[in-house]
Amino acid sequence: MGFTPNSSGEGIILRPSLVPPPSNAHKYSRGHAMVWSGPVLHTGASRLSAQAALAVGAGLVTLIGERAALAEQAGHVTAIMLRETDMSFVSVDDRVTAFAIGPGAGTSAQQAVLEILRRNIPVVLDADALTAFEGDPSILCALTRPTDVMTPHIGEFRRLFPDIPTENRAEAACLAADRAQCVVLLKGSETWVAAPDGRVLVNRHASPWLATAGSGDILTGLICGLLAQGVTAFDAASIAAWLHGDIGVRGGPGLTADNMIGHIPLVLHGCLHDAVGHGSGSRT
């Protein structure tokens, strides 16, 4: 699939444009997303991310981690591959086109994050992959690159960047992106996306029904799935923010992370190149 980001002159993210894959496309040409599995009894968050990456168009998605965790994952997934690994990450080869780590990763995430950031792969960092560096974020920021995306909510942001004021969230996201030299997506009722080169956009197309456990894990998976398909980091974060918001708009009351996956095809269908209208505002 081909995604084109859209935004207004005021810097508001609009509905992206989507064209179908070419007729000769195959799963390998659509990218391989990989997601770090949480440990046993904590696998749900990473599973949500993997399912979202697959639904948004990545040709292959693999969950990797320890054997006990993957045995648990196997009882819940079918189209997603499973691969055992240790901290050597020998299973992460040049066919992997994006990697997500953090959802449900646990307190031991720091070593895994540092190892994967040394690979030449776009990485989405969320949740435990960020809070693991509370107290010494310079270790993380020394390795992140413009091809990577951080997705903190305001609490994670303050733990990672305690000296950056957050009264002005647009400015806060820009300062963090400059420091980390990667894309920063600061989640909230208004989601700000900032790049290290100074670009910044805001997504206001969202819904309060997104305030539910696991919602952020879906967003992480959407970004990873887009990165896997070759979308650049800033565009992937911006497009995913809008898609995620549209899931909330369409889902409405009773929306849970489990059923967000089923809304993704409907959201994508609304982005096809012949669709009309550009959603930009908050809706319930």
Side-chain angles (χ1 to χ4, degrees):
M1 291 187 287
F3 291 88
T4 302
N6 293 306
S7 60
S8 71
E10 294 77 35
I12 299 171
I13 299 171
L14 303 176
R15 176 183 56 79
S17 302
L18 171 66
V19 295
S23 59
N24 62 347
H26 52 83
K27 61 186 178 183
Y28 296 103
S29 68
R30 296 180 65 187
H32 184 180
M34 190 167 274
V35 180
W36 178 256
S37 173
V40 66
L41 300 183
H42 298 278
T43 59
S46 57
R47 186 160 57 250
L48 288 170
S49 295
Q51 290 169 328
L54 188 66
V56 83
L60 301 94
V61 178
T62 300
L63 279 159
I64 69 167
E66 59 188 33
R67 176 178 288 271
L70 296 183
E72 188 173 290
Q73 296 278 21
H76 297 274
V77 299
T78 49
I80 293 168
M81 298 184 292
L82 305 173
R83 188 172 299 171
E84 187 178 2
T85 191
D86 55 23
M87 288 300 171
S88 67
F89 284 89
V90 292
S91 59
V92 183
D93 56 30
D94 57 8
R95 294 171 295 180
V96 178
T97 51
F99 198 100
I101 184 168
T107 55
S108 62
Q110 186 176 112
Q111 183 183 352
V113 171
L114 294 176
E115 181 60 36
I116 201 63
L117 283 174
R118 294 187 179 100
R119 308 299 180 98
N120 189 29
I121 303 168
V123 179
V124 189
L125 300 158
D126 185 29
D128 293 335
L130 301 176
T131 57
F133 294 90
E134 181 181 3
D136 198 357
S138 62
I139 299 175
L140 177 64
C141 294
L143 290 176
T144 46
R145 303 149 300 179
T147 53
D148 302 324
V149 182
M150 292 183 182
T151 64
H153 57 56
I154 193 64
E156 292 162 344
F157 185 94
R158 288 170 177 158
R159 288 191 287 272
L160 196 62
F161 304 104
D163 59 321
I164 297 180
T166 54
E167 291 80 8
N168 183 326
R169 297 202 179 187
E171 183 176 311
C174 288
L175 289 170
D178 179 65
R179 180 178 299 179
Q181 283 300 294
C182 71
V183 172
V184 173
L185 181 150
L186 180 53
K187 295 182 282 197
S189 56
E190 289 188 341
T191 291
W192 291 90
V193 182
D197 61 11
R199 288 176 293 166
V200 61
L201 294 172
V202 61
N203 181 60
R204 293 176 176 150
H205 180 66
S207 165
W209 302 113
L210 288 168
T212 183
S215 178
D217 306 321
I218 299 293
L219 177 60
T220 294
L222 292 172
I223 298 170
C224 186
L226 292 168
L227 288 173
Q229 295 173 76
V231 181
T232 63
F234 183 74
D235 288 348
S238 301
I239 291 169
W242 192 96
L243 297 177
H244 187 251
D246 202 48
I247 292 171
V249 170
R250 291 173 182 268
L255 184 66
T256 67
D258 288 320
N259 60 39
M260 284 182 190
I261 304 298
H263 288 281
I264 295 174
L266 300 175
V267 169
L268 295 180
H269 189 271
C271 296
L272 287 171
H273 65 280
D274 57 351
V276 296
H278 281 286
S280 62
S282 177
R283 295 168 57 188
T284 59

mmCIF file with all atom_site columns, all heavy atoms in Angstrom, residues 6-8 10-16 189-190 202-206 242 246 249 277-283:
data_model
loop_
_atom_site.group_PDB
_atom_site.id
_atom_site.type_symbol
_atom_site.label_atom_id
_atom_site.label_alt_id
_atom_site.label_comp_id
_atom_site.label_asym_id
_atom_site.label_entity_id
_atom_site.label_seq_id
_atom_site.pdbx_PDB_ins_code
_atom_site.Cartn_x
_atom_site.Cartn_y
_atom_site.Cartn_z
_atom_site.occupancy
_atom_site.B_iso_or_equiv
_atom_site.pdbx_formal_charge
_atom_site.auth_seq_id
_atom_site.auth_comp_id
_atom_site.auth_asym_id
_atom_site.auth_atom_id
_atom_site.pdbx_PDB_model_num
ATOM 1   N N   . ASN A 1 6   ? -1.165  13.979 4.895  1.00 0.00 ? 6   ASN A N   1
ATOM 2   C CA  . ASN A 1 6   ? -1.784  15.264 4.565  1.00 0.00 ? 6   ASN A CA  1
ATOM 3   C C   . ASN A 1 6   ? -1.885  16.106 5.824  1.00 0.00 ? 6   ASN A C   1
ATOM 4   O O   . ASN A 1 6   ? -2.136  15.586 6.909  1.00 0.00 ? 6   ASN A O   1
ATOM 5   C CB  . ASN A 1 6   ? -3.182  15.061 3.974  1.00 0.00 ? 6   ASN A CB  1
ATOM 6   C CG  . ASN A 1 6   ? -3.152  14.374 2.623  1.00 0.00 ? 6   ASN A CG  1
ATOM 7   O OD1 . ASN A 1 6   ? -2.482  14.809 1.704  1.00 0.00 ? 6   ASN A OD1 1
ATOM 8   N ND2 . ASN A 1 6   ? -3.859  13.251 2.513  1.00 0.00 ? 6   ASN A ND2 1
ATOM 9   N N   . SER A 1 7   ? -1.681  17.415 5.663  1.00 0.00 ? 7   SER A N   1
ATOM 10  C CA  . SER A 1 7   ? -1.812  18.327 6.792  1.00 0.00 ? 7   SER A CA  1
ATOM 11  C C   . SER A 1 7   ? -2.251  19.688 6.282  1.00 0.00 ? 7   SER A C   1
ATOM 12  O O   . SER A 1 7   ? -2.084  20.028 5.103  1.00 0.00 ? 7   SER A O   1
ATOM 13  C CB  . SER A 1 7   ? -0.489  18.453 7.555  1.00 0.00 ? 7   SER A CB  1
ATOM 14  O OG  . SER A 1 7   ? 0.540   18.952 6.712  1.00 0.00 ? 7   SER A OG  1
ATOM 15  N N   . SER A 1 8   ? -2.828  20.470 7.177  1.00 0.00 ? 8   SER A N   1
ATOM 16  C CA  . SER A 1 8   ? -3.293  21.805 6.819  1.00 0.00 ? 8   SER A CA  1
ATOM 17  C C   . SER A 1 8   ? -2.150  22.806 6.939  1.00 0.00 ? 8   SER A C   1
ATOM 18  O O   . SER A 1 8   ? -1.091  22.506 7.495  1.00 0.00 ? 8   SER A O   1
ATOM 19  C CB  . SER A 1 8   ? -4.434  22.225 7.749  1.00 0.00 ? 8   SER A CB  1
ATOM 20  O OG  . SER A 1 8   ? -3.933  22.487 9.050  1.00 0.00 ? 8   SER A OG  1
ATOM 21  N N   . GLU A 1 10  ? -2.064  25.104 8.891  1.00 0.00 ? 10  GLU A N   1
ATOM 22  C CA  . GLU A 1 10  ? -1.906  25.421 10.309 1.00 0.00 ? 10  GLU A CA  1
ATOM 23  C C   . GLU A 1 10  ? -1.196  24.301 11.067 1.00 0.00 ? 10  GLU A C   1
ATOM 24  O O   . GLU A 1 10  ? -1.104  24.342 12.296 1.00 0.00 ? 10  GLU A O   1
ATOM 25  C CB  . GLU A 1 10  ? -3.273  25.684 10.953 1.00 0.00 ? 10  GLU A CB  1
ATOM 26  C CG  . GLU A 1 10  ? -3.992  26.919 10.438 1.00 0.00 ? 10  GLU A CG  1
ATOM 27  C CD  . GLU A 1 10  ? -4.612  26.686 9.072  1.00 0.00 ? 10  GLU A CD  1
ATOM 28  O OE1 . GLU A 1 10  ? -5.088  25.551 8.811  1.00 0.00 ? 10  GLU A OE1 1
ATOM 29  O OE2 . GLU A 1 10  ? -4.598  27.623 8.252  1.00 0.00 ? 10  GLU A OE2 1
ATOM 30  N N   . GLY A 1 11  ? -0.736  23.281 10.356 1.00 0.00 ? 11  GLY A N   1
ATOM 31  C CA  . GLY A 1 11  ? -0.002  22.211 10.999 1.00 0.00 ? 11  GLY A CA  1
ATOM 32  C C   . GLY A 1 11  ? -0.873  21.155 11.646 1.00 0.00 ? 11  GLY A C   1
ATOM 33  O O   . GLY A 1 11  ? -0.435  20.467 12.573 1.00 0.00 ? 11  GLY A O   1
ATOM 34  N N   . ILE A 1 12  ? -2.106  20.996 11.162 1.00 0.00 ? 12  ILE A N   1
ATOM 35  C CA  . ILE A 1 12  ? -3.021  19.988 11.696 1.00 0.00 ? 12  ILE A CA  1
ATOM 36  C C   . ILE A 1 12  ? -2.995  18.769 10.778 1.00 0.00 ? 12  ILE A C   1
ATOM 37  O O   . ILE A 1 12  ? -3.122  18.895 9.557  1.00 0.00 ? 12  ILE A O   1
ATOM 38  C CB  . ILE A 1 12  ? -4.455  20.542 11.804 1.00 0.00 ? 12  ILE A CB  1
ATOM 39  C CG1 . ILE A 1 12  ? -4.486  21.739 12.756 1.00 0.00 ? 12  ILE A CG1 1
ATOM 40  C CG2 . ILE A 1 12  ? -5.426  19.460 12.269 1.00 0.00 ? 12  ILE A CG2 1
ATOM 41  C CD1 . ILE A 1 12  ? -5.806  22.477 12.763 1.00 0.00 ? 12  ILE A CD1 1
ATOM 42  N N   . ILE A 1 13  ? -2.818  17.592 11.356 1.00 0.00 ? 13  ILE A N   1
ATOM 43  C CA  . ILE A 1 13  ? -2.801  16.359 10.577 1.00 0.00 ? 13  ILE A CA  1
ATOM 44  C C   . ILE A 1 13  ? -4.195  16.067 10.037 1.00 0.00 ? 13  ILE A C   1
ATOM 45  O O   . ILE A 1 13  ? -5.187  16.110 10.772 1.00 0.00 ? 13  ILE A O   1
ATOM 46  C CB  . ILE A 1 13  ? -2.313  15.178 11.439 1.00 0.00 ? 13  ILE A CB  1
ATOM 47  C CG1 . ILE A 1 13  ? -0.888  15.447 11.932 1.00 0.00 ? 13  ILE A CG1 1
ATOM 48  C CG2 . ILE A 1 13  ? -2.362  13.866 10.646 1.00 0.00 ? 13  ILE A CG2 1
ATOM 49  C CD1 . ILE A 1 13  ? -0.402  14.447 12.974 1.00 0.00 ? 13  ILE A CD1 1
ATOM 50  N N   . LEU A 1 14  ? -4.268  15.780 8.751  1.00 0.00 ? 14  LEU A N   1
ATOM 51  C CA  . LEU A 1 14  ? -5.531  15.459 8.085  1.00 0.00 ? 14  LEU A CA  1
ATOM 52  C C   . LEU A 1 14  ? -5.526  13.994 7.655  1.00 0.00 ? 14  LEU A C   1
ATOM 53  O O   . LEU A 1 14  ? -4.505  13.310 7.750  1.00 0.00 ? 14  LEU A O   1
ATOM 54  C CB  . LEU A 1 14  ? -5.723  16.357 6.863  1.00 0.00 ? 14  LEU A CB  1
ATOM 55  C CG  . LEU A 1 14  ? -5.710  17.869 7.117  1.00 0.00 ? 14  LEU A CG  1
ATOM 56  C CD1 . LEU A 1 14  ? -5.805  18.622 5.797  1.00 0.00 ? 14  LEU A CD1 1
ATOM 57  C CD2 . LEU A 1 14  ? -6.833  18.281 8.062  1.00 0.00 ? 14  LEU A CD2 1
ATOM 58  N N   . ARG A 1 15  ? -6.667  13.545 7.170  1.00 0.00 ? 15  ARG A N   1
ATOM 59  C CA  . ARG A 1 15  ? -6.777  12.163 6.707  1.00 0.00 ? 15  ARG A CA  1
ATOM 60  C C   . ARG A 1 15  ? -5.710  11.863 5.657  1.00 0.00 ? 15  ARG A C   1
ATOM 61  O O   . ARG A 1 15  ? -5.591  12.564 4.666  1.00 0.00 ? 15  ARG A O   1
ATOM 62  C CB  . ARG A 1 15  ? -8.165  11.912 6.109  1.00 0.00 ? 15  ARG A CB  1
ATOM 63  C CG  . ARG A 1 15  ? -8.319  10.509 5.520  1.00 0.00 ? 15  ARG A CG  1
ATOM 64  C CD  . ARG A 1 15  ? -9.682  10.309 4.856  1.00 0.00 ? 15  ARG A CD  1
ATOM 65  N NE  . ARG A 1 15  ? -9.957  11.291 3.832  1.00 0.00 ? 15  ARG A NE  1
ATOM 66  C CZ  . ARG A 1 15  ? -9.463  11.257 2.590  1.00 0.00 ? 15  ARG A CZ  1
ATOM 67  N NH1 . ARG A 1 15  ? -8.653  10.282 2.214  1.00 0.00 ? 15  ARG A NH1 1
ATOM 68  N NH2 . ARG A 1 15  ? -9.776  12.195 1.729  1.00 0.00 ? 15  ARG A NH2 1
ATOM 69  N N   . PRO A 1 16  ? -4.920  10.816 5.861  1.00 0.00 ? 16  PRO A N   1
ATOM 70  C CA  . PRO A 1 16  ? -3.923  10.447 4.858  1.00 0.00 ? 16  PRO A CA  1
ATOM 71  C C   . PRO A 1 16  ? -4.587  9.843  3.624  1.00 0.00 ? 16  PRO A C   1
ATOM 72  O O   . PRO A 1 16  ? -5.732  9.388  3.681  1.00 0.00 ? 16  PRO A O   1
ATOM 73  C CB  . PRO A 1 16  ? -3.053  9.412  5.579  1.00 0.00 ? 16  PRO A CB  1
ATOM 74  C CG  . PRO A 1 16  ? -3.978  8.808  6.586  1.00 0.00 ? 16  PRO A CG  1
ATOM 75  C CD  . PRO A 1 16  ? -4.901  9.897  7.023  1.00 0.00 ? 16  PRO A CD  1
ATOM 76  N N   . SER A 1 189 ? -4.899  14.204 24.421 1.00 0.00 ? 189 SER A N   1
ATOM 77  C CA  . SER A 1 189 ? -6.128  14.537 23.700 1.00 0.00 ? 189 SER A CA  1
ATOM 78  C C   . SER A 1 189 ? -5.796  15.246 22.396 1.00 0.00 ? 189 SER A C   1
ATOM 79  O O   . SER A 1 189 ? -6.515  15.128 21.405 1.00 0.00 ? 189 SER A O   1
ATOM 80  C CB  . SER A 1 189 ? -7.046  15.395 24.572 1.00 0.00 ? 189 SER A CB  1
ATOM 81  O OG  . SER A 1 189 ? -6.360  16.568 25.004 1.00 0.00 ? 189 SER A OG  1
ATOM 82  N N   . GLU A 1 190 ? -4.725  16.013 22.400 1.00 0.00 ? 190 GLU A N   1
ATOM 83  C CA  . GLU A 1 190 ? -4.066  16.493 21.181 1.00 0.00 ? 190 GLU A CA  1
ATOM 84  C C   . GLU A 1 190 ? -2.697  15.813 21.138 1.00 0.00 ? 190 GLU A C   1
ATOM 85  O O   . GLU A 1 190 ? -1.935  15.909 22.098 1.00 0.00 ? 190 GLU A O   1
ATOM 86  C CB  . GLU A 1 190 ? -3.891  18.007 21.187 1.00 0.00 ? 190 GLU A CB  1
ATOM 87  C CG  . GLU A 1 190 ? -5.171  18.783 21.021 1.00 0.00 ? 190 GLU A CG  1
ATOM 88  C CD  . GLU A 1 190 ? -4.912  20.265 20.831 1.00 0.00 ? 190 GLU A CD  1
ATOM 89  O OE1 . GLU A 1 190 ? -3.797  20.739 21.179 1.00 0.00 ? 190 GLU A OE1 1
ATOM 90  O OE2 . GLU A 1 190 ? -5.812  20.961 20.333 1.00 0.00 ? 190 GLU A OE2 1
ATOM 91  N N   . VAL A 1 202 ? 0.133   18.487 14.685 1.00 0.00 ? 202 VAL A N   1
ATOM 92  C CA  . VAL A 1 202 ? -0.743  18.069 15.765 1.00 0.00 ? 202 VAL A CA  1
ATOM 93  C C   . VAL A 1 202 ? -1.928  17.296 15.204 1.00 0.00 ? 202 VAL A C   1
ATOM 94  O O   . VAL A 1 202 ? -2.466  17.637 14.148 1.00 0.00 ? 202 VAL A O   1
ATOM 95  C CB  . VAL A 1 202 ? -1.242  19.283 16.592 1.00 0.00 ? 202 VAL A CB  1
ATOM 96  C CG1 . VAL A 1 202 ? -2.058  20.255 15.731 1.00 0.00 ? 202 VAL A CG1 1
ATOM 97  C CG2 . VAL A 1 202 ? -2.047  18.828 17.810 1.00 0.00 ? 202 VAL A CG2 1
ATOM 98  N N   . ASN A 1 203 ? -2.308  16.221 15.894 1.00 0.00 ? 203 ASN A N   1
ATOM 99  C CA  . ASN A 1 203 ? -3.510  15.474 15.525 1.00 0.00 ? 203 ASN A CA  1
ATOM 100 C C   . ASN A 1 203 ? -4.635  15.818 16.491 1.00 0.00 ? 203 ASN A C   1
ATOM 101 O O   . ASN A 1 203 ? -4.503  15.635 17.700 1.00 0.00 ? 203 ASN A O   1
ATOM 102 C CB  . ASN A 1 203 ? -3.273  13.968 15.556 1.00 0.00 ? 203 ASN A CB  1
ATOM 103 C CG  . ASN A 1 203 ? -4.533  13.218 15.152 1.00 0.00 ? 203 ASN A CG  1
ATOM 104 O OD1 . ASN A 1 203 ? -5.039  13.399 14.044 1.00 0.00 ? 203 ASN A OD1 1
ATOM 105 N ND2 . ASN A 1 203 ? -5.066  12.405 16.043 1.00 0.00 ? 203 ASN A ND2 1
ATOM 106 N N   . ARG A 1 204 ? -5.735  16.307 15.940 1.00 0.00 ? 204 ARG A N   1
ATOM 107 C CA  . ARG A 1 204 ? -6.917  16.628 16.743 1.00 0.00 ? 204 ARG A CA  1
ATOM 108 C C   . ARG A 1 204 ? -8.108  15.761 16.350 1.00 0.00 ? 204 ARG A C   1
ATOM 109 O O   . ARG A 1 204 ? -9.195  15.953 16.872 1.00 0.00 ? 204 ARG A O   1
ATOM 110 C CB  . ARG A 1 204 ? -7.268  18.116 16.585 1.00 0.00 ? 204 ARG A CB  1
ATOM 111 C CG  . ARG A 1 204 ? -6.204  19.024 17.203 1.00 0.00 ? 204 ARG A CG  1
ATOM 112 C CD  . ARG A 1 204 ? -6.476  20.481 16.986 1.00 0.00 ? 204 ARG A CD  1
ATOM 113 N NE  . ARG A 1 204 ? -5.472  21.297 17.670 1.00 0.00 ? 204 ARG A NE  1
ATOM 114 C CZ  . ARG A 1 204 ? -5.077  22.493 17.256 1.00 0.00 ? 204 ARG A CZ  1
ATOM 115 N NH1 . ARG A 1 204 ? -5.590  23.019 16.143 1.00 0.00 ? 204 ARG A NH1 1
ATOM 116 N NH2 . ARG A 1 204 ? -4.168  23.162 17.944 1.00 0.00 ? 204 ARG A NH2 1
ATOM 117 N N   . HIS A 1 205 ? -7.870  14.835 15.433 1.00 0.00 ? 205 HIS A N   1
ATOM 118 C CA  . HIS A 1 205 ? -8.927  13.919 14.995 1.00 0.00 ? 205 HIS A CA  1
ATOM 119 C C   . HIS A 1 205 ? -8.874  12.702 15.907 1.00 0.00 ? 205 HIS A C   1
ATOM 120 O O   . HIS A 1 205 ? -8.120  11.754 15.675 1.00 0.00 ? 205 HIS A O   1
ATOM 121 C CB  . HIS A 1 205 ? -8.693  13.517 13.540 1.00 0.00 ? 205 HIS A CB  1
ATOM 122 C CG  . HIS A 1 205 ? -9.739  12.576 13.001 1.00 0.00 ? 205 HIS A CG  1
ATOM 123 N ND1 . HIS A 1 205 ? -11.046 12.934 12.835 1.00 0.00 ? 205 HIS A ND1 1
ATOM 124 C CD2 . HIS A 1 205 ? -9.645  11.286 12.597 1.00 0.00 ? 205 HIS A CD2 1
ATOM 125 C CE1 . HIS A 1 205 ? -11.734 11.914 12.353 1.00 0.00 ? 205 HIS A CE1 1
ATOM 126 N NE2 . HIS A 1 205 ? -10.900 10.891 12.203 1.00 0.00 ? 205 HIS A NE2 1
ATOM 127 N N   . ALA A 1 206 ? -9.642  12.737 16.976 1.00 0.00 ? 206 ALA A N   1
ATOM 128 C CA  . ALA A 1 206 ? -9.564  11.689 17.984 1.00 0.00 ? 206 ALA A CA  1
ATOM 129 C C   . ALA A 1 206 ? -10.857 11.661 18.780 1.00 0.00 ? 206 ALA A C   1
ATOM 130 O O   . ALA A 1 206 ? -11.812 12.363 18.458 1.00 0.00 ? 206 ALA A O   1
ATOM 131 C CB  . ALA A 1 206 ? -8.363  11.927 18.903 1.00 0.00 ? 206 ALA A CB  1
ATOM 132 N N   . TRP A 1 242 ? -3.368  9.869  13.152 1.00 0.00 ? 242 TRP A N   1
ATOM 133 C CA  . TRP A 1 242 ? -4.697  10.108 12.579 1.00 0.00 ? 242 TRP A CA  1
ATOM 134 C C   . TRP A 1 242 ? -5.499  8.810  12.497 1.00 0.00 ? 242 TRP A C   1
ATOM 135 O O   . TRP A 1 242 ? -6.683  8.779  12.855 1.00 0.00 ? 242 TRP A O   1
ATOM 136 C CB  . TRP A 1 242 ? -4.586  10.746 11.193 1.00 0.00 ? 242 TRP A CB  1
ATOM 137 C CG  . TRP A 1 242 ? -5.908  11.267 10.697 1.00 0.00 ? 242 TRP A CG  1
ATOM 138 C CD1 . TRP A 1 242 ? -6.382  12.545 10.790 1.00 0.00 ? 242 TRP A CD1 1
ATOM 139 C CD2 . TRP A 1 242 ? -6.944  10.498 10.059 1.00 0.00 ? 242 TRP A CD2 1
ATOM 140 N NE1 . TRP A 1 242 ? -7.640  12.624 10.251 1.00 0.00 ? 242 TRP A NE1 1
ATOM 141 C CE2 . TRP A 1 242 ? -8.018  11.393 9.795  1.00 0.00 ? 242 TRP A CE2 1
ATOM 142 C CE3 . TRP A 1 242 ? -7.080  9.167  9.678  1.00 0.00 ? 242 TRP A CE3 1
ATOM 143 C CZ2 . TRP A 1 242 ? -9.196  10.973 9.162  1.00 0.00 ? 242 TRP A CZ2 1
ATOM 144 C CZ3 . TRP A 1 242 ? -8.252  8.752  9.070  1.00 0.00 ? 242 TRP A CZ3 1
ATOM 145 C CH2 . TRP A 1 242 ? -9.293  9.646  8.815  1.00 0.00 ? 242 TRP A CH2 1
ATOM 146 N N   . ASP A 1 246 ? -9.028  7.961  14.290 1.00 0.00 ? 246 ASP A N   1
ATOM 147 C CA  . ASP A 1 246 ? -10.228 7.573  13.542 1.00 0.00 ? 246 ASP A CA  1
ATOM 148 C C   . ASP A 1 246 ? -10.824 6.277  14.076 1.00 0.00 ? 246 ASP A C   1
ATOM 149 O O   . ASP A 1 246 ? -12.043 6.085  14.033 1.00 0.00 ? 246 ASP A O   1
ATOM 150 C CB  . ASP A 1 246 ? -9.885  7.423  12.051 1.00 0.00 ? 246 ASP A CB  1
ATOM 151 C CG  . ASP A 1 246 ? -11.117 7.562  11.162 1.00 0.00 ? 246 ASP A CG  1
ATOM 152 O OD1 . ASP A 1 246 ? -11.886 8.529  11.369 1.00 0.00 ? 246 ASP A OD1 1
ATOM 153 O OD2 . ASP A 1 246 ? -11.315 6.709  10.280 1.00 0.00 ? 246 ASP A OD2 1
ATOM 154 N N   . VAL A 1 249 ? -12.981 7.456  16.809 1.00 0.00 ? 249 VAL A N   1
ATOM 155 C CA  . VAL A 1 249 ? -14.192 8.088  16.289 1.00 0.00 ? 249 VAL A CA  1
ATOM 156 C C   . VAL A 1 249 ? -15.189 7.038  15.839 1.00 0.00 ? 249 VAL A C   1
ATOM 157 O O   . VAL A 1 249 ? -16.390 7.113  16.135 1.00 0.00 ? 249 VAL A O   1
ATOM 158 C CB  . VAL A 1 249 ? -13.839 9.045  15.127 1.00 0.00 ? 249 VAL A CB  1
ATOM 159 C CG1 . VAL A 1 249 ? -15.096 9.532  14.420 1.00 0.00 ? 249 VAL A CG1 1
ATOM 160 C CG2 . VAL A 1 249 ? -13.039 10.234 15.654 1.00 0.00 ? 249 VAL A CG2 1
ATOM 161 N N   . GLY A 1 277 ? -13.386 13.998 1.910  1.00 0.00 ? 277 GLY A N   1
ATOM 162 C CA  . GLY A 1 277 ? -13.381 14.613 3.235  1.00 0.00 ? 277 GLY A CA  1
ATOM 163 C C   . GLY A 1 277 ? -12.073 14.405 3.957  1.00 0.00 ? 277 GLY A C   1
ATOM 164 O O   . GLY A 1 277 ? -11.353 13.441 3.732  1.00 0.00 ? 277 GLY A O   1
ATOM 165 N N   . HIS A 1 278 ? -11.746 15.347 4.830  1.00 0.00 ? 278 HIS A N   1
ATOM 166 C CA  . HIS A 1 278 ? -10.546 15.283 5.646  1.00 0.00 ? 278 HIS A CA  1
ATOM 167 C C   . HIS A 1 278 ? -10.927 15.514 7.096  1.00 0.00 ? 278 HIS A C   1
ATOM 168 O O   . HIS A 1 278 ? -11.211 16.629 7.487  1.00 0.00 ? 278 HIS A O   1
ATOM 169 C CB  . HIS A 1 278 ? -9.538  16.383 5.216  1.00 0.00 ? 278 HIS A CB  1
ATOM 170 C CG  . HIS A 1 278 ? -8.766  16.051 3.985  1.00 0.00 ? 278 HIS A CG  1
ATOM 171 N ND1 . HIS A 1 278 ? -7.740  15.127 3.965  1.00 0.00 ? 278 HIS A ND1 1
ATOM 172 C CD2 . HIS A 1 278 ? -8.883  16.513 2.729  1.00 0.00 ? 278 HIS A CD2 1
ATOM 173 C CE1 . HIS A 1 278 ? -7.246  15.053 2.732  1.00 0.00 ? 278 HIS A CE1 1
ATOM 174 N NE2 . HIS A 1 278 ? -7.904  15.865 1.973  1.00 0.00 ? 278 HIS A NE2 1
ATOM 175 N N   . GLY A 1 279 ? -10.942 14.446 7.886  1.00 0.00 ? 279 GLY A N   1
ATOM 176 C CA  . GLY A 1 279 ? -11.218 14.605 9.300  1.00 0.00 ? 279 GLY A CA  1
ATOM 177 C C   . GLY A 1 279 ? -10.061 15.287 9.983  1.00 0.00 ? 279 GLY A C   1
ATOM 178 O O   . GLY A 1 279 ? -8.915  14.942 9.746  1.00 0.00 ? 279 GLY A O   1
ATOM 179 N N   . SER A 1 280 ? -10.335 16.254 10.844 1.00 0.00 ? 280 SER A N   1
ATOM 180 C CA  . SER A 1 280 ? -9.257  16.933 11.554 1.00 0.00 ? 280 SER A CA  1
ATOM 181 C C   . SER A 1 280 ? -9.609  17.245 12.989 1.00 0.00 ? 280 SER A C   1
ATOM 182 O O   . SER A 1 280 ? -8.728  17.593 13.776 1.00 0.00 ? 280 SER A O   1
ATOM 183 C CB  . SER A 1 280 ? -8.879  18.241 10.853 1.00 0.00 ? 280 SER A CB  1
ATOM 184 O OG  . SER A 1 280 ? -9.975  19.128 10.833 1.00 0.00 ? 280 SER A OG  1
ATOM 185 N N   . GLY A 1 281 ? -10.871 17.148 13.380 1.00 0.00 ? 281 GLY A N   1
ATOM 186 C CA  . GLY A 1 281 ? -11.281 17.565 14.698 1.00 0.00 ? 281 GLY A CA  1
ATOM 187 C C   . GLY A 1 281 ? -11.637 16.417 15.592 1.00 0.00 ? 281 GLY A C   1
ATOM 188 O O   . GLY A 1 281 ? -11.812 15.280 15.163 1.00 0.00 ? 281 GLY A O   1
ATOM 189 N N   . SER A 1 282 ? -11.748 16.711 16.895 1.00 0.00 ? 282 SER A N   1
ATOM 190 C CA  . SER A 1 282 ? -12.134 15.715 17.872 1.00 0.00 ? 282 SER A CA  1
ATOM 191 C C   . SER A 1 282 ? -13.609 15.433 17.746 1.00 0.00 ? 282 SER A C   1
ATOM 192 O O   . SER A 1 282 ? -14.425 16.336 17.567 1.00 0.00 ? 282 SER A O   1
ATOM 193 C CB  . SER A 1 282 ? -11.833 16.221 19.285 1.00 0.00 ? 282 SER A CB  1
ATOM 194 O OG  . SER A 1 282 ? -12.261 15.300 20.249 1.00 0.00 ? 282 SER A OG  1
ATOM 195 N N   . ARG A 1 283 ? -13.977 14.137 17.803 1.00 0.00 ? 283 ARG A N   1
ATOM 196 C CA  . ARG A 1 283 ? -15.372 13.739 17.702 1.00 0.00 ? 283 ARG A CA  1
ATOM 197 C C   . ARG A 1 283 ? -15.648 12.658 18.726 1.00 0.00 ? 283 ARG A C   1
ATOM 198 O O   . ARG A 1 283 ? -14.783 11.926 19.137 1.00 0.00 ? 283 ARG A O   1
ATOM 199 C CB  . ARG A 1 283 ? -15.672 13.204 16.287 1.00 0.00 ? 283 ARG A CB  1
ATOM 200 C CG  . ARG A 1 283 ? -15.521 14.263 15.197 1.00 0.00 ? 283 ARG A CG  1
ATOM 201 C CD  . ARG A 1 283 ? -15.541 13.619 13.830 1.00 0.00 ? 283 ARG A CD  1
ATOM 202 N NE  . ARG A 1 283 ? -16.761 12.849 13.600 1.00 0.00 ? 283 ARG A NE  1
ATOM 203 C CZ  . ARG A 1 283 ? -16.921 12.073 12.519 1.00 0.00 ? 283 ARG A CZ  1
ATOM 204 N NH1 . ARG A 1 283 ? -15.970 11.968 11.630 1.00 0.00 ? 283 ARG A NH1 1
ATOM 205 N NH2 . ARG A 1 283 ? -18.038 11.416 12.359 1.00 0.00 ? 283 ARG A NH2 1
#
